[in-house]
Amino acid sequence: MLVLRLLNVVAPAYFLCISLVTFVLQIFLFIPSMFRDPSTTPLFSPALLHGALFLFLSANALGNYVLVIQSSPEDLGKGLNLGKGSEVVADWLDGSRSPGSALPSTHFCRLCARVTQRHDHHCFFTGNCIGSRNMRNFIMFCLYTSLACLDSLVAGMAYISAALSMSFANPLAFLTLLPHSISQFFSGALLSSEMFVILMLYLWLGIGLACAGFCCHQMLLILRGQTRYQVRKGMVVRARPWRENLQEVFGKRWLLGLLIPVLNVGSDCRRQKEK
């Protein structure tokens, strides 16, 4: 448990550090290198368009990241008829209350010390549990993080291609880039800044693919009307049309959530209708 609590603190700091490094490399290294002659740069040049795209992806990723943290499951747990204060924690810890006693898939997280409705999993990179209140923001966070990493990967490859006068037309060139770069770095033929960018290329690739795969897996569960917690516990869910499952998570203003970071109001609207 101590290791998990430490990971719950280190992982968000690691993510913010990677985000800061990516932003600095893009703004002060990759994008300026795309300007050949700033005095004759057209209004809609590739460099400006790439910069605008990166800022859009980064703003959405960071905005949804903040909303995932702010949308605390604890706020939702206060509305459940589970007791008050320490009584809730004590009852859940000693097992006197079953997870489904109040609402389906209600779960108490020992790391957060919070009650979550439609609990999916605990995300260490946000230090928060993912449930009905912040599921949409979490999916948008994974989507835009993946796109920002892949965008940085393409920009970094273009920078390395120009700096080292090499081509990535051959797919094996990227796979053999790291071992060749390490040998050149220790022989003094490669600058430390270039070696750092090469290491970041593989990090962006790993994070981008991981977030994309996780986002696709999460969308598949949503279409089925399931959560990872339900699948892990073997809970049976009531079959519903996939459109209703999507609307429950993304709400009616789903298109707005694709463009700008907004709170998930879909479950709140549904709760008001039920009342």
Side-chain angles (χ1 to χ4, degrees), residues 46 51 76 78 108 110 149 152 175-176 198 201 224 241 260-261:
L76 186 61
K78 292 178 180 179
F108 174 77
R110 295 174 180 267
C149 287
S152 301
L175 299 178
T176 58
I198 293 174
L201 292 181
R224 295 175 178 176
I260 57 175

Side-chain angles (χ1 to χ4, degrees), residues 28-250:
F28 296 101
L29 189 62
F30 298 160
I31 296 178
S33 65
M34 298 179 185
F35 289 94
R36 297 181 178 179
D37 187 2
S39 60
T40 60
T41 300
L43 179 61
F44 296 102
S45 65
L48 292 177
L49 292 178
H50 172 78
L53 176 62
F54 173 74
L55 291 178
F56 171 76
L57 297 177
S58 300
N60 275 275
L62 183 59
N64 283 286
Y65 179 82
V66 173
L67 291 179
V68 169
I69 298 176
Q70 287 185 345
S71 301
S72 173
E74 185 179 13
D75 298 335
L76 186 61
K78 292 178 180 179
L80 303 179
N81 188 19
L82 296 175
K84 297 181 179 180
S86 61
E87 296 178 0
V88 177
V89 179
D91 291 342
W92 282 79
L93 288 177
D94 61 17
S96 59
R97 292 185 186 270
S98 60
S101 58
L103 291 173
S105 303
T106 304
H107 177 69
F108 174 77
C109 179
R110 295 174 180 267
L111 294 175
C112 295
R114 296 168 178 169
V115 179
T116 311
Q117 181 187 357
R118 288 192 61 82
H119 175 82
D120 189 85
H121 69 285
H122 180 87
C123 177
F124 289 98
F125 286 98
T126 60
N128 202 359
C129 278
I130 307 302
S132 61
R133 190 177 178 88
N134 54 10
M135 174 60 74
R136 184 182 70 173
N137 296 121
F138 177 74
I139 293 177
M140 291 295 101
F141 159 68
C142 291
L143 174 63
Y144 281 107
T145 299
S146 175
L147 294 177
C149 287
L150 295 180
D151 176 81
S152 301
L153 174 64
V154 174
M157 291 175 62
Y159 173 80
I160 291 298
S161 178
L164 303 182
S165 300
M166 61 177 300
S167 175
F168 289 98
N170 186 359
L172 296 178
F174 184 79
L175 299 178
T176 58
L177 176 62
L178 183 60
H180 288 315
S181 301
I182 293 177
S183 60
Q184 293 179 1
F185 175 74
F186 285 105
S187 63
L190 191 66
L191 299 177
S192 58
S193 59
E194 296 172 346
M195 185 63 197
F196 180 74
V197 172
I198 293 174
L199 293 176
M200 290 298 299
L201 292 181
Y202 290 91
L203 184 61
W204 287 326
L205 177 63
I207 295 177
L209 292 179
C211 289
F214 192 87
C215 184
C216 293
H217 174 69
Q218 204 70 41
M219 284 298 302
L220 180 60
L221 292 178
I222 291 175
L223 291 174
R224 295 175 178 176
Q226 294 178 310
T227 63
R228 294 178 61 186
Y229 178 76
Q230 290 174 335
V231 174
R232 188 171 66 252
K233 295 297 183 179
M235 297 180 179
V236 180
V237 296
R238 180 171 58 90
R240 295 186 307 175
W242 61 271
R243 294 180 182 273
E244 293 185 10
N245 295 328
L246 284 178
Q247 184 175 347
E248 182 181 17
V249 175
F250 292 93

